[in-house]
Amino acid sequence: MTTQQVSDAELAGQPAAYWTGVAYEALIAYTRAQQAEKGYSQPQFWLLRNLSANDISPDGEGMTLPELREAMTSYIRPEDDLAAEAEVLLERGWLTRDADHRLWLTDEGEQARVDLARNAPAIRAALHEGIDDTDYVTTLKVLQQLIRNAGRTVG
C-alpha cells in the first residue's frame, strides 16, 4: 500500500491494522537504532526501568528474569533476549544478581537509567517533527476508539 497520489476517500478505506503495523515496526526500528547509537538496547533500558524504585518498579525490589518478562509482557518483543541483555548490564556493573537469581539495580545502574532517559526527548522530537500536538492527540483518540471498537479496553 502507498499513500502516493491517494485521495482522502481512498485513504479512509485502507485498513487501520495495516498502517498501525507499519507504524509500529518503523517507530520501534527507529527508536532502537537511536538507542544502539548511544550504546544500549531498548530491552536493557526496560530492565533498568523495571528494577528502579524511581521509575516502573513499585518497590525497587529485585526480580527474576521470569518476573521481569511478565512485567514487560505488553511491550517486550519475541526476539528480545532478556537473559542476554541482563548479562550485559551485569558486566557493566549496572545490575547485580543474588543467590535467588533476582536481579538488583546498582547505584551505577540507577545513574545509567537517569542518563539514558535523557535520550528520550530527542527521539520523540525527531519522530514528532512536522506533527502538531493537536493532530497527534486526535490520532491517539482515533486509535483508542478503534481499540474499543475491537472489544478491548484502553489502558
Side-chain angles (χ1 to χ4, degrees), residues 23 27 123-125 127-144:
L27 296 172
I123 294 170
R124 183 191 187 282
L127 290 172
H128 284 242
E129 186 175 338
I131 301 169
D132 183 86
D133 282 348
T134 303
D135 292 338
Y136 181 73
V137 169
T138 298
T139 300
L140 293 184
K141 287 180 178 181
V142 168
L143 290 172
Q144 290 173 344

Side-chain angles (χ1 to χ4, degrees), residues 15-32:
Y18 170 79
W19 288 110
T20 57
V22 171
Y24 173 77
E25 292 300 329
L27 296 172
I28 292 295
Y30 180 84
T31 300
R32 287 181 174 214

Side-chain angles (χ1 to χ4, degrees), residues 31-52 55 85 88-90 92-95 105-124:
T31 300
R32 287 181 174 214
Q34 296 301 303
Q35 291 170 327
E37 283 184 15
K38 302 286 187 186
Y40 67 101
S41 71
Q42 192 170 48
Q44 290 168 2
F45 186 53
W46 290 336
L47 285 165
L48 297 174
R49 293 190 67 202
N50 275 275
L51 291 168
S52 174
D55 203 334
E85 301 288 1
V88 171
L89 299 180
L90 286 161
R92 290 181 182 171
W94 295 356
L95 298 181
L105 190 62
T106 65
D107 290 341
E108 294 83 3
E110 176 60 16
Q111 186 58 55
R113 182 196 64 79
V114 170
D115 293 343
L116 298 178
R118 291 186 182 121
N119 296 317
I123 294 170
R124 183 191 187 282

